[in-house]
Amino acid sequence: MSRDRTPRTLALILLALLVSGQFLPQWTLFLVTVALAKGLVVLGLMILLRCGLVSFGQALYYCIGAYAAGMLGRLFGASDVFTLMLAGMAAAGLVGFVLGFLLARYRSIFFGLLSLAVSMILYGLLVKTEALGSTDGFHVLPSTLFGLRPADAWVRYTVLAVALLVAFIAALLVHRYLGTPLGRLASAIKDNEIRVEYMGASARHAIHVKYVIAAALAGLGGALAATTVGHIDPEMAYWTTSGEFIFITILAGTGNVIAPFLGALVFGVIQTVAFGISPNTWQMVLGGSLLVVIVFLPNGLWSLFRGRKAA
Amino acid sequence: MKIVNVTHGSFYALGAYAAASITGALLARGMPPSLSYAVLLGSALLVSVIVAPLIERGILRFMYAKDEVVILLITYALFLILEDVIKMIWGVNPYFIAEPYGLLGSFDVLDLTYPYYNLILVGVAIACGAGLAWMLGSTRTGKLLVAVIHDTEVSRAMGINVDRMYLYTFTFGSLLAAIGGAFTAPTVSVVPALGVEVIVLSFAVVVIGGLGSLPGAALGAVMVGLVRSAAIHYLPQAELFVIYLVMAMVLAFRPRGLFSIAEARKI
Amino acid sequence: MYFVDRLVIAMTAAAFAPAASLAQEAPLKIGVVTFLSGPAASPFGVPARNAAEIMVEMLNGTKVPAPYAARGFGGAALQMQLVDESGPATTQVTEFRNLAQRDNVDMVIGYVSSGNCLAVAPVAEELKKLTVFFDCGTPRIFEEKSYKYVFRTASTATMDSVGAALYVKELKAGKIKSIAGVNQNYAWGQDSWVDFEASMKQLTPGVQVATSQMPKLFAGQYNAEISTVLGAKADVVHSSFWDGDLEAFILQAGPRGLFKRSTVILTTGETAMYKLAEHIPDGVVIGARGPYGPYAPDNELNRWFSKTFADRYGVPPNYAAYQMAQAILGTKAAWEKAQSANGGNRPSTDQAIAAFERLTFESPAGKVEMVIGAGHQAITETAYGVSKLVKGKMTVANVKRYPATMVNPPDGVKAADWIANGFKK
C-alpha cells in the first residue's frame, strides 16, 4: 500500500462539509448530524466486527450516553455540548469496562445475544422508571457552546460543526488505533484465536480493549444524538435500535473509518426517501436495499470507492 | 444449518394469518367448527410449503458461503420485506378465529378457570417436539440432516445431496414456526408486527437451552414460561426484563447454554 | 476521492434549490402523521388516515355541512402529505423537520403516540410550525411546558380515567371494595392506571387495590395475568389496553370467566366492540376516549361524517377517525377566523395561532373548547356505557354523559393534583 491517504481524505471531508454546511437547507444539516451520531456508534461496531464479533446490544451504550447527557442537564443544568458528550462517553465507557470482563469471554452468537440481553434489561428498567418519564422519555435542554447559545438560524450549523469535529477526531484516533499492533490483531482473532494465543497475545485482553472503545464511541454518539434530537426515550436501548446499527455496519463495510459515517448517511437518506415516497411500504424498500447491497457489494458501500481507487 | 433465522418470525405471522383467514372463511361457509383444528394445521402446512422453498431456493441458497452474521442480516432484510408483503395481502385490519378456542369449553383448577384449548396447545407442542426428535434420531433423512449440519463438506463428499437437505431443513423449520403461529391465532388478534416479539423471545429460549439442542430448547421454553409467570405473580415490576436476566445468568455460568454441544476448536 | 466532490456538488445544489413561490390561491400543504405500519396502524393510524383523506377531499369539494362549507381552509384547497409515525422518536423528529423545512408544509396534524408528541412539540416550537396533535393522551405536554405553536384538539387521558371512575361508582352504586388493573407497561398504561386508582380512592374511600398487572406492550399472551386477576377477585377490573392487546385480552379473558367474576372497564373498548361483538358479554363498561363513535351526539355534522365514512370504508368511524376529523375541523375554524380578522387574506401562522387559542368549535363529536393548557389544550365532554348485544349488533346501554369541566382539570392545574385535591374546580 502506498501512503496512508485516510487522514487527508478525512480532513478534506471535514472542510468540505464545514464550508458547504453554511449554505445547506436546515433539514439536511439535521440529517447529517444524526448520521454522524449514528456513524460514531457504527465506528465502534466496526472495530468489533473486524475481529468477528457482532454486538446485538450496542444500543445499550447509545442509550447510556444519551441518558447521561440528558440527566446531567436535568439534574445539574449542565448544557455545554462538550461536557455532555464527555459525560456520555465516560458513562458508557465505564459500563463497557465493567461488562467487558464478562463479555470478552464470549464469541459468535453468544456474544451477540448476551449483549442483547444486557441492553434489554436496561430497557426494562428505564420503562419502569417513572422519574425519567417511562416510555415517553424526556426533553433534553438545548445545549450551549462554551457558555454561549448561538442565534436561532445558526443553531443547526453549530451543532453540525461540533458533530463534524468530534466525528473527525474520533475517526482519526480509531484509524490510528487500527494501525497499532493491538488494532491489527483484530483480523487475526477473527481468523483463528488459538493461533493468536500461541503467538503470545491475549485475545481476551484485546477484545476487552476494543469493547470499551466501542462502548465509549456509542456513548459519544448517544450524547450527540440526545443534544441534536432534543428528546430521549428508552427505545434507544431497544433491540431494534441495535439492529439498525448492525444494519448500517453491514451496509457500510469495514474497509475504512470513513465507511461508518458514509453508511449512516446513506441509511438516513434511504429511510427518509422511503418514508416520503412510500409511507405504506417503507420497510420493503429498506429490506430490499439491504439485500441489494449484500448481494452486489459484499464488502459494503465502501467497496465502491476502494474499487475505483484501484482502477 | 447454523443459521440464525429472523424470517422465523415471519413464518409465525404467516402461519397465524393463513390459519385465521382460511379457518375463518371455511367456518363462514358452514364448515363444522370441530374440523377447524385440522384446518389450522393444514394452513400452516400450506404457507410453509409454498413460501419457505421460495425463499430458500430463490435467495438463501446463494448466501450460504457468507458469514453467519451476514446471513442473519439477509434473513432480517427478508423479514422486513415479508412484513410489508403480509400487509399487502391481508391489510392492516385484525383477523379473529376464536371458535377453536372457546369450542371445547373450560375446566376449573382450584379457583381458576382454564379453557381446554390450552391443553391442545400443550399437546401440539409435545407432539411437534417428539416428532422432531424421532425424525432426527430414527429416520434416514433425519440422520443425513444431522451429518450435513455437522460437516457439510464431508457430507457432500460422501454423496449426500446437501442442497436438498438444506431445502428440507429450512422448510421443516419454517413449518414448525407456522404451526406455532397457526395454533396461537385463535387466542390472539392477528395483526401486523405479530412476529417481531416472538423472534427475540425464541432466540432467548434457544440460547438458554443451548444452540442446536432439542431438549435444551424444550427446557429453555419451560423455564422462560415459569419464570415469567412467577414474575407476574410475585414481582410484576420485573416482568419486562426477567427473561433477559435469566438468559444473562445462564450464559454467565454456562457460556454456551444449558445443553451445549461440545465443539472442536480448529487450530 | 471523487465522491467528496460529488457530495459537495450535490449538497450545494440542494442549498440553492428555489423555494416554492407563494401565490394567494396556492393550496395549503398539510403534513399528516399517523401510524401506517406496526400494531397501532389498524386501530388508530389507518382509520385516522382514512378520516383525513375524506376530510381533505370533502373540504376541497365543499361537501361538508355548515359551518364548514367553505372550500378547503378559507377558500384555499388542501394538499395532504402523509408520513408514517412508526420508528423511534429520532426518526419522527427527523421526519417532522423534513416536513417543515424540506417540504415546506403550512402545518402538521398528527401523532398518536404520546412519546412522539413529547418529542415533536419542542421541535415544532423551534421551527415555528403550527402543529396540531389529534390523538395522543399524555397530560404532560402542556403541564410541563407551555408552547406557542402546538395545539391538541382531543382531551387528555385524564378524562378517560376520571370518567371511568365516576361511571363505575354509579353503576355499582358505590359498592366497590377492591379494584384491579391490567394495563400495558408503558407511559399510557401506567398513567391511565395511576389516574384511575387515585380517582377511585377519592370517590370510594377505603377501596383496596387487589392487584395491578402491567404486562409488556404487545405481549399478546395474558394467561398468567388473567389467572392473577381472577385469583384477586376484585369487584372492578380496569384496563386501558388497546388494539391487538385489547382484542387478545378479550378473547382470552372471556372463556376464563373474568367478565362474569368482575365488572370490567375497557377504556378504549370502542375500537374492538364491533369486531368482537359476539365475544364481549353484556355489561362490560366500554369507553371511547370521549364522545366519539357510539357516544357521539346526534347532530348534522356527525350524521354526515359517520355516513360518509361508513359508505367509503364499509365500517363506522372509530374514535381515532373522529379525533382526526376534529383536529382538521378545529384547525379550519381557527384558520378561517384568522382569515376574516385579516381582511379575507391568507393569515400568517401567528395570526392563525392567535385565533386558535381559547377557540370553541363544533366537531362531529359536539362542542370542543380549547380552554386549558393556556388555550392550547381542548376539553370535551365524555361518556361511558355498558355493552349490550341487540339482535347480533353491539350497542351501548345505560349511557351516562359527563360535562367537560367535571372530568377535566381547570386551566393551570396539573391533572394529578386536581384528582388528589378531590376534583376541586
Side-chain angles (χ1 to χ4, degrees):
Chain A
M1 198 177 136
S2 59
R3 212 162 47 85
D4 180 8
R5 283 162 45 165
T6 302
R8 203 199 60 171
T9 315
L10 273 174
L12 258 173
I13 298 176
L14 173 75
L15 259 164
L17 282 172
L18 277 178
V19 173
S20 64
Q22 301 179 38
F23 307 106
L24 286 172
Q26 295 271 323
W27 63 271
T28 46
L29 299 187
F30 185 76
L31 193 79
V32 175
T33 316
V34 170
L36 286 170
K38 288 181 176 168
L40 283 169
V41 186
V42 175
L43 189 62
L45 277 176
M46 185 188 95
I47 300 177
L48 290 173
L49 189 63
R50 281 194 165 198
C51 41
L53 292 173
V54 179
S55 163
F56 296 144
Q58 211 59 9
L60 170 73
Y61 301 107
Y62 182 65
C63 185
I64 288 177
Y67 269 75
M71 277 157 69
L72 209 59
R74 204 172 151 104
L75 299 176
F76 306 106
S79 66
D80 184 73
V81 65
F82 287 109
T83 316
L84 296 183
M85 279 196 241
L86 274 178
M89 196 164 119
L94 194 68
V95 176
F97 176 70
V98 175
L99 284 177
F101 284 107
L102 179 68
L103 277 157
R105 289 163 43 202
Y106 294 81
R107 300 293 176 273
S108 73
I109 199 77
F110 296 98
F111 173 82
L113 288 174
L114 189 57
S115 50
L116 172 88
V118 181
S119 76
M120 289 304 287
I121 292 173
L122 177 72
Y123 172 79
L125 288 173
L126 284 177
V127 166
K128 267 288 153 194
T129 314
E130 275 168 50
L132 293 178
S134 179
T135 41
D136 283 348
F138 60 88
H139 180 59
V140 180
L141 303 170
S143 46
T144 53
L145 188 63
F146 306 122
L148 297 172
R149 183 155 291 149
D152 275 0
W154 288 96
V155 169
R156 284 297 132 210
Y157 179 73
T158 318
V159 176
L160 173 73
V162 169
L164 276 170
L165 205 65
V166 169
F168 173 70
I169 296 170
L172 209 59
L173 287 177
V174 168
H175 182 69
R176 281 276 151 77
Y177 167 75
L178 290 177
T180 62
L182 196 61
R184 284 173 190 269
L185 213 51
S187 52
I189 293 174
K190 184 179 182 179
D191 287 343
N192 196 316
E193 208 173 297
I194 295 176
R195 287 185 199 162
V196 172
E197 302 274 344
Y198 284 176
M199 286 183 344
S202 164
R204 190 186 290 183
H205 173 72
I207 288 176
H208 197 163
V209 171
K210 286 169 202 294
Y211 190 74
V212 174
I213 295 177
L217 283 171
L220 184 63
L224 180 58
T227 52
T228 311
V229 176
H231 185 85
I232 52 182
D233 59 31
E235 206 165 325
M236 298 181 96
Y238 202 60
W239 68 270
T240 46
T241 312
S242 299
E244 193 179 296
F245 292 137
I246 301 174
F247 192 116
I248 300 174
T249 314
I250 299 295
L251 191 75
T254 57
N256 191 293
V257 288
I258 305 171
F261 299 101
L262 179 71
L265 190 61
V266 170
F267 177 82
V269 171
I270 294 179
Q271 197 181 35
T272 185
V273 167
F275 258 72
I277 58 170
S278 66
N280 291 303
T281 51
W282 59 271
Q283 295 186 87
M284 195 178 258
V285 177
L286 216 58
S289 37
L290 181 63
L291 266 188
V292 168
V293 168
I294 292 176
V295 173
F296 295 105
L297 299 170
N299 292 316
L301 288 173
W302 185 249
S303 46
L304 279 182
F305 303 112
R306 250 231 306 252
R308 199 173 285 179
K309 202 158 52 175
Chain B
M1 287 163 94
K2 308 228 169 100
I3 291 182
V4 180
N5 179 12
V6 184
T7 52
H8 233 59
S10 313
F11 280 102
Y12 180 83
L14 278 170
Y17 265 107
S21 51
I22 296 176
T23 315
L26 289 178
L27 284 172
R29 290 208 170 72
M31 178 187 75
S34 48
L35 278 181
S36 53
Y37 304 99
V39 178
L40 291 181
L41 194 64
S43 358
L45 202 63
L46 188 73
V47 281
S48 46
V49 166
I50 295 174
V51 185
L54 218 62
I55 289 178
E56 207 274 342
R57 290 284 93 183
I59 297 165
L60 277 183
R61 72 171 160 141
F62 305 110
M63 310 288 178
Y64 289 134
K66 293 190 191 295
D67 219 41
E68 270 176 53
V69 178
V70 175
I71 298 183
L72 186 147
L73 270 169
I74 292 167
T75 61
Y76 178 64
L78 289 170
F79 170 80
L80 284 177
I81 295 173
L82 284 174
E83 275 291 295
D84 276 347
V85 170
I86 288 176
K87 221 163 61 177
M88 282 174 174
I89 299 177
W90 281 285
V92 294
N93 284 325
Y95 282 77
F96 310 102
I97 32 148
E99 283 77 7
Y101 190 56
L103 189 66
L104 297 174
S106 48
F107 61 98
D108 291 344
V109 177
L110 298 174
D111 204 20
L112 300 177
T113 313
Y114 293 93
Y116 278 108
Y117 187 79
N118 287 10
L119 292 182
I120 291 203
L121 282 182
V122 175
V124 169
I126 292 176
C128 284
L132 186 63
W134 172 78
M135 211 196 80
L136 286 179
S138 311
T139 64
R140 192 184 131 77
T141 318
K143 285 178 178 168
L144 289 180
L145 217 67
V146 175
V148 169
I149 292 167
H150 191 75
D151 198 322
T152 315
E153 281 168 40
V154 172
S155 308
R156 208 185 286 276
M158 307 280 272
I160 300 176
N161 188 341
V162 171
D163 287 353
R164 188 181 298 165
M165 284 300 137
Y166 273 167
L167 177 64
Y168 286 170
T169 316
F170 188 80
T171 310
F172 193 71
S174 305
L175 170 66
L176 289 179
I179 290 179
F183 277 87
T184 314
T187 68
V188 297
S189 101
V190 182
V191 287
L194 189 71
V196 180
E197 291 300 318
V198 174
I199 192 71
V200 181
L201 210 61
S202 34
F203 280 164
V205 166
V206 170
V207 167
I208 290 173
L211 284 184
S213 157
L214 202 57
L219 184 72
V222 172
M223 258 178 83
V224 163
L226 284 180
V227 166
R228 212 189 131 230
S229 313
I232 287 167
H233 282 275
Y234 302 111
L235 197 71
Q237 304 89 300
E239 194 262 328
L240 264 181
F241 56 88
V242 74
I243 290 164
Y244 299 99
L245 203 63
V246 171
M247 179 167 141
M249 298 291 280
V250 167
L251 284 185
F253 294 105
R254 299 267 317 174
R256 305 185 76 87
L258 290 173
F259 284 73
S260 48
I261 298 166
E263 204 171 286
R265 297 182 79 182
K266 289 176 185 163
I267 296 179
Chain C
M1 291 292 144
Y2 297 94
F3 84 97
V4 178
D5 313 334
R6 294 254 173 113
L7 207 64
V8 173
I9 292 167
M11 289 191 150
T12 324
F16 292 109
S21 61
L22 265 177
Q24 172 66 29
E25 299 80 19
L28 279 168
K29 271 176 99 176
I30 305 182
V32 173
V33 190
T34 186
F35 284 100
L36 301 175
S37 62
S42 137
F44 307 133
V46 171
R49 179 199 66 191
N50 292 348
E53 271 172 4
I54 282 195
M55 291 311 289
V56 166
E57 188 188 318
M58 295 291 157
L59 282 173
N60 286 343
T62 61
K63 293 198 184 98
V64 184
Y68 298 108
R71 180 161 186 263
F73 283 8
L78 305 179
Q79 217 177 36
M80 181 164 94
Q81 173 139 357
L82 200 60
V83 175
D84 188 357
E85 200 186 326
S86 302
T90 341
T91 308
Q92 285 315 313
V93 169
T94 312
E95 291 308 318
F96 183 88
R97 284 178 186 277
N98 289 344
L99 276 177
Q101 295 183 323
R102 181 187 63 194
D103 307 328
N104 279 313
V105 298
D106 296 283
M107 64 199 75
V108 177
I109 298 178
Y111 301 104
V112 172
S113 146
S114 291
N116 288 342
C117 284
L118 285 166
V120 160
V123 187
E125 205 68 3
E126 180 197 321
L127 304 182
K128 301 189 170 38
K129 191 62 69 182
L130 173 59
T131 302
V132 184
F133 296 147
F134 80 100
D135 174 75
C136 57
T138 180
R140 281 174 56 196
I141 296 174
F142 297 104
E143 281 182 354
E144 289 178 356
K145 286 183 83 172
S146 63
Y147 294 104
K148 182 178 169 201
Y149 293 89
V150 182
F151 292 85
R152 176 163 52 189
T153 51
S155 301
T156 66
T158 304
M159 179 178 85
D160 308 319
S161 295
V162 174
L166 287 168
Y167 184 79
V168 77
K169 184 195 172 191
E170 227 175 314
L171 186 73
K172 307 270 286 178
K175 287 195 201 96
I176 300 171
K177 284 202 222 43
S178 62
I179 54 172
V182 187
N183 291 281
Q184 290 143 328
N185 202 341
Y186 81 114
W188 158 260
Q190 292 159 356
D191 292 351
S192 294
W193 171 249
V194 166
D195 284 352
F196 180 76
E197 186 188 345
S199 303
M200 285 307 286
K201 286 187 167 155
Q202 286 290 332
L203 293 169
T204 51
V207 70
Q208 295 292 315
V209 175
T211 178
S212 164
Q213 289 297 319
M214 293 262 170
K216 186 172 168 3
L217 184 61
F218 309 138
Q221 296 288 343
Y222 304 102
N223 276 310
E225 283 85 2
I226 292 168
S227 296
T228 307
V229 171
L230 278 169
K233 295 198 182 82
D235 298 311
V236 169
V237 175
H238 168 272
S239 178
S240 61
F241 272 25
W242 47 268
D243 183 46
D245 287 7
L246 171 64
E247 288 151 3
F249 179 73
I250 294 172
L251 291 175
Q252 290 165 23
R256 303 192 58 187
L258 180 64
F259 297 117
K260 281 187 220 105
R261 190 172 284 195
S262 310
T263 300
V264 179
I265 306 167
L266 305 172
T267 59
T268 74
E270 186 256 347
T271 53
M273 64 183 271
Y274 301 113
K275 292 181 270 187
L276 288 179
E278 66 252 59
H279 298 285
I280 303 176
D282 287 357
V284 175
V285 181
I286 303 275
R289 295 215 51 218
Y292 309 115
Y295 302 118
D298 187 28
N299 60 31
E300 201 202 335
L301 213 49
N302 180 31
R303 279 192 296 271
W304 169 82
F305 178 66
S306 49
K307 183 170 183 320
T308 315
F309 192 97
D311 286 351
R312 167 89 52 104
Y313 297 107
V315 287
N318 69 3
Y319 76 72
Y322 271 90
Q323 285 174 330
M324 176 56 88
Q326 182 160 305
I328 292 176
L329 292 179
T331 315
K332 176 179 166 73
W335 192 267
E336 288 171 0
K337 184 179 157 197
Q339 184 160 321
S340 58
N342 195 27
N345 296 318
R346 174 175 288 195
S348 67
T349 300
D350 279 11
Q351 287 167 329
I353 285 165
F356 216 152
E357 280 175 358
R358 305 201 176 273
L359 179 75
T360 297
F361 64 93
E362 286 297 323
S363 92
K367 192 166 69 165
V368 182
E369 299 165 284
M370 307 290 297
V371 290
I372 63 175
H376 288 244
Q377 167 64 52
I379 61 170
T380 60
E381 62 163 358
T382 193
Y384 272 92
V386 293
S387 56
K388 189 169 174 56
L389 207 59
V390 179
K391 293 182 196 133
K393 234 186 128 225
M394 179 57 85
T395 59
V396 284
N398 199 5
V399 176
K400 295 270 185 325
R401 307 190 86 85
Y402 301 96
T405 49
M406 190 172 170
V407 283
N408 286 289
D411 193 14
V413 179
K414 283 193 176 185
D417 300 340
W418 172 66
I419 297 172
N421 288 328
F423 311 106
K424 260 208 287 290
K425 284 189 182 153

